[in-house]
């Protein structure tokens, strides 16, 4: 059993929904927008409740908000709870509900960031405000961090703060962020809560092909677009081999034990099938991957450009970065 930090009856659900909807209305698309207006708003909601915070810009507009709430026991290490204010961009024409409207439709709150992760940010703000209103002191220092730039690697958010403002995290011994907490029913009485570790690394790549520019009506065997498209197609269709790293092996073995199915190291695919719903999220931790995601070339249909560029989202298992690059 677990005791919620704040009983649900005391934490106003309406307040969380309102805060989340307002957060969604800030277009914090990364990289096309910045977080400043949203960060100012967060600091304002905290200040309303009498909670001091510091707004830290790593670059113009790239704003982070940090607040420290004193705990009852200063001897205990502080707990960091962090969320990010940026979202990945959204093309409104692909949405049934405008992505930055924060609209409630059919009983659901819609918008970019509604589940990643302005929902959590709203819960963090509502909880802090609840503490302030009721004079609740957490058992230990609580550091709330509302960060910039998570979606593009954290360069202007977490990375920057750790390098330039470690003082903000003084005394922190544990941190809770997004991800994890998804549970799987094993049977009627037991649930499996995976703990994330050994995250895959990012190896984002830019590919450039150069060729011979020319008129679109003439033969050209050094067409940069053709060459790059060929390479990208091969990268996109590559199936990387399964590499069973130690943490994943431990996870699979334990999951198999709990589900009462056989784990066969020489037949990973078969073992996954036996694990049912758990196997879905296992797919991405078994191998490296590389997906072409952007392509840029040319400016006119009848002109063969001398250059084409593309981006590839590469991900590697711990210890397998070189293998990805080599492949
Ligand atoms: Zn996220």
């Amino acid at each position: 059993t677990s005791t919620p930090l704040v009983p649900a009856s005391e934490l106003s659900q309406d307040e969380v929904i309102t805060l989340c909807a307002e957060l969604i209305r800030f277009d914090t698309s990364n990289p096309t927008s910045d977080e400043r207006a949203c960060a100012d708003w967060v600091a304002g909601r905290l200040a309303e409740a009498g909670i001091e915070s510091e707004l830290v810009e790593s670059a113009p507009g790239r704003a982070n908000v940090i607040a420290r709430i004193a705990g009852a026991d200063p001897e205990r290490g502080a707990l960091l709870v962090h969320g990010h204010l940026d979202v990945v961009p959204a093309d409104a024409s692909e949405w049934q509900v405008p992505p930055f409207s924060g609209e409630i439709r059919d009983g659901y709150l819609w918008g970019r960031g509604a589940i990643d992760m302005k929902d959590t940010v709203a819960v963090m703000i509502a909880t802090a405000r609840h503490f302030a209103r009721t004079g609740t002191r957490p058992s230990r220092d609580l550091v709330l961090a509302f960060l910039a730039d998570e979606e593009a690697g954290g360069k202007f958010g977490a990375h920057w703060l750790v390098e330039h403002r470690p003082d903000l995290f003084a005394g922190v011994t544990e941190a809770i962020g997004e991800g994890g907490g998804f549970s799987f029913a094993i049977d009627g009485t037991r649930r499996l809560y995976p703990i994330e570790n050994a995250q895959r690394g990012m190896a984002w790549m830019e590919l450039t092909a150069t060729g011979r520019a020319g008129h679109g009506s003439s033969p050209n065997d050094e067409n940069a677009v053709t060459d790059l498209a060929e390479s990208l197609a091969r990268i996109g269709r590559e199936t990387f081999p399964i590499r069973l790293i130690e943490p994943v092996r431990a996870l699979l073995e334990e999951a198999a034990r709990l589900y009462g199915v056989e784990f066969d190291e020489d037949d990973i695919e078969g073992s996954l099938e036996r694990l049912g719903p758990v196997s879905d999220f296992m797919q991405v931790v078994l191998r490296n991957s590389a997906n072409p995601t952007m392509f840029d070339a040319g400016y006119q249909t009848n002109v063969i450009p001398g250059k084409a560029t593309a981006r590839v989202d590469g991900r590697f298992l711990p210890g397998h970065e070189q293998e990805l690059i080599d492949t």
Side-chain angles (χ1 to χ4, degrees):
T1 61
S2 68
T3 312
L5 198 56
V6 179
S9 56
E10 288 179 26
L11 192 60
S12 158
Q13 186 174 314
D14 288 345
E15 182 174 9
V16 173
I17 294 166
T18 306
L19 290 169
C20 187
E22 292 199 36
L23 281 162
I24 289 169
R25 288 179 198 129
F26 289 96
D27 178 354
T28 52
S29 297
N30 191 354
T32 48
S33 304
D34 64 42
E35 300 86 357
R36 180 62 202 244
C38 188
D40 281 333
W41 181 87
V42 170
R45 299 293 72 71
L46 295 172
E48 245 171 29
I51 301 161
E52 262 179 59
S53 63
E54 185 178 352
L55 193 136
V56 184
E57 274 198 340
S58 52
R62 307 311 301 266
N64 304 273
V65 178
I66 320 289
R68 188 178 279 257
I69 297 170
D73 182 358
E75 299 299 308
R76 291 186 59 185
L79 176 69
L80 169 67
V81 182
H82 59 96
H84 61 87
L85 298 177
D86 62 323
V87 295
V88 290
D91 179 350
S93 70
E94 295 174 342
W95 285 62
Q96 290 167 299
V97 177
F100 300 105
S101 65
E103 189 179 322
I104 292 175
R105 199 183 281 187
D106 302 327
Y108 288 90
L109 174 59
W110 293 90
R112 177 59 96 215
I115 55 168
D116 183 12
M117 64 177 295
K118 287 175 170 172
D119 53 342
T120 309
V121 168
V123 171
M124 288 164 63
I125 298 170
T127 304
R129 286 159 64 93
H130 171 85
F131 281 172
R133 274 197 302 265
T134 56
T136 306
R137 282 189 99 184
S139 54
R140 54 172 166 162
D141 271 15
L142 208 52
V143 178
L144 300 179
F146 304 91
L147 303 171
D149 197 32
E150 191 272 347
E151 298 291 1
K155 209 171 85 179
F156 296 105
H159 270 290
W160 194 92
L161 290 170
V162 165
E163 254 169 45
H164 296 90
R165 292 296 308 275
D167 57 297
L168 294 169
F169 309 106
V172 169
T173 50
E174 284 84 25
I176 297 175
E178 70 176 318
F182 303 99
S183 67
F184 298 90
I186 296 170
D187 49 38
T189 55
R190 294 179 304 162
R191 296 189 79 79
L192 179 62
Y193 288 86
I195 297 168
E196 182 184 359
N197 63 7
Q199 205 173 48
R200 290 199 307 172
M202 289 196 304
W204 289 3
M205 293 170 255
E206 186 176 270
L207 276 58
T208 303
T210 49
R212 194 173 76 246
H215 196 277
S217 64
S218 313
N220 188 323
D221 58 4
E222 292 175 61
N223 183 322
V225 176
T226 307
D227 286 352
L228 188 55
E230 233 164 43
S231 304
L232 282 180
R234 290 178 60 201
I235 291 170
R237 299 199 191 289
E238 174 77 12
T239 304
F240 288 82
I242 287 177
R243 301 286 183 227
L244 197 57
I245 60 170
E246 212 37 54
V248 175
R249 178 202 306 275
L251 178 63
L252 285 171
E253 282 176 356
E254 186 64 10
R257 191 184 69 75
L258 289 165
Y259 276 81
V261 299
E262 189 209 347
F263 172 67
D264 178 2
E265 194 176 313
D266 298 322
D267 180 19
I268 301 287
E269 299 289 357
S271 300
L272 285 177
E273 252 168 57
R274 289 190 285 276
L275 283 169
V278 186
S279 66
D280 288 346
F281 78 91
M282 301 274 191
Q283 293 297 341
V284 297
V285 297
L286 287 170
R287 42 167 66 97
N288 288 343
S289 65
N291 273 309
T293 49
M294 296 170 79
F295 198 116
D296 186 33
Y299 52 91
Q300 169 73 9
T301 309
N302 63 358
V303 179
I304 298 169
K307 192 176 125 177
T309 61
R311 299 274 182 90
V312 174
D313 183 353
R315 307 283 172 130
F316 57 88
L317 292 164
H320 293 275
E321 180 171 13
Q322 195 55 46
E323 184 184 15
L324 175 77
I325 306 293
D326 290 348
T327 306

